[in-house]
């Protein structure tokens, strides 16, 4: 019996962790399988606060973004993840930064702000966070919400003063 079928049997018997571990090991062998990543993510709902669920979510979201899955689909899955974990998301800063970019560029303002503001509170300084900040600023600029961009611009200025995007964003006047 293949690993997916075995995992389904475990789920039917209520052995959720066993199913997630089996699918995790299988995913290591097939790290580009979006179907396998989706299945792990979906089964994660049975153990929402377990680290295995969060790991599956990280793998799934990163694979979706690598394969240019639509922003709407990624957002829908993120909302599902947020609901399942009751808002206790446990994704790494890199993944969150990339999701922030996707949500800001696709107009999912509330979740983009939620993610980006959360990373700002953590004093995140990873390189990919610049992209999320710039995407948020550009989104708000396009909406004409210039006052809302100030905290994001300040964060760029204070934490990434030498970055070329910081200079570009600060050179734009409103």
């Amino acid at each position: 019996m293949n690993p997916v079928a075995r995992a389904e049997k475990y789920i039917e018997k209520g052995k959720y962790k066993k199913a997630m571990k089996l699918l995790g090991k299988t995913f290591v062998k097939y790290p580009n399988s979006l179907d396998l990543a989706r299945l792990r993510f979906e089964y994660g709902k049975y153990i929402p606060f377990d680290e295995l669920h969060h790991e599956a979510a990280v793998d799934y979201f990163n694979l979706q973004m690598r394969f240019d899955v639509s922003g709407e689909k990624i957002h829908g899955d993120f909302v599902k993840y947020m609901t399942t974990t009751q808002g206790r998301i446990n994704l790494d800063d890199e993944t969150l930064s990339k999701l922030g970019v996707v949500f800001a560029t696709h107009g999912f303002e509330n979740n983009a702000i939620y993610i980006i503001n959360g990373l700002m509170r953590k004093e995140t300084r990873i390189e990919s966070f610049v992209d999320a900040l710039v995407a948020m600023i550009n989104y708000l600029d396009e909406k004409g919400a210039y006052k809302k961009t100030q905290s994001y611009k300040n964060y760029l200025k204070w934490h990434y003063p030498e970055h070329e995007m910081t200079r570009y964003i600060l050179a734009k006047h409103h």
Side-chain angles (χ1 to χ4, degrees), residues 69-135:
V69 170
S70 79
E72 287 77 18
K73 172 75 174 123
I74 295 171
H75 183 258
D77 288 333
F78 181 76
V79 169
K80 198 182 301 180
Y81 173 71
M82 288 270 291
T83 304
T84 304
T85 61
Q86 297 171 355
R88 287 181 239 156
I89 59 174
N90 191 7
L91 305 176
D92 61 282
D93 291 353
E94 189 74 31
T95 301
L96 285 170
S97 290
K98 292 176 187 171
L99 287 169
V101 171
V102 170
F103 298 160
T105 56
H106 288 85
F108 297 111
E109 184 176 347
N110 292 341
N111 280 324
I113 288 172
Y114 175 79
I115 288 171
I116 293 168
N117 288 0
L119 290 170
M120 286 169 63
R121 279 191 298 279
K122 284 172 59 178
E123 295 280 323
T124 301
R125 292 175 188 255
I126 57 174
E127 189 69 22
S128 61
F129 191 46
V130 172
D131 296 335
L133 290 163
V134 169

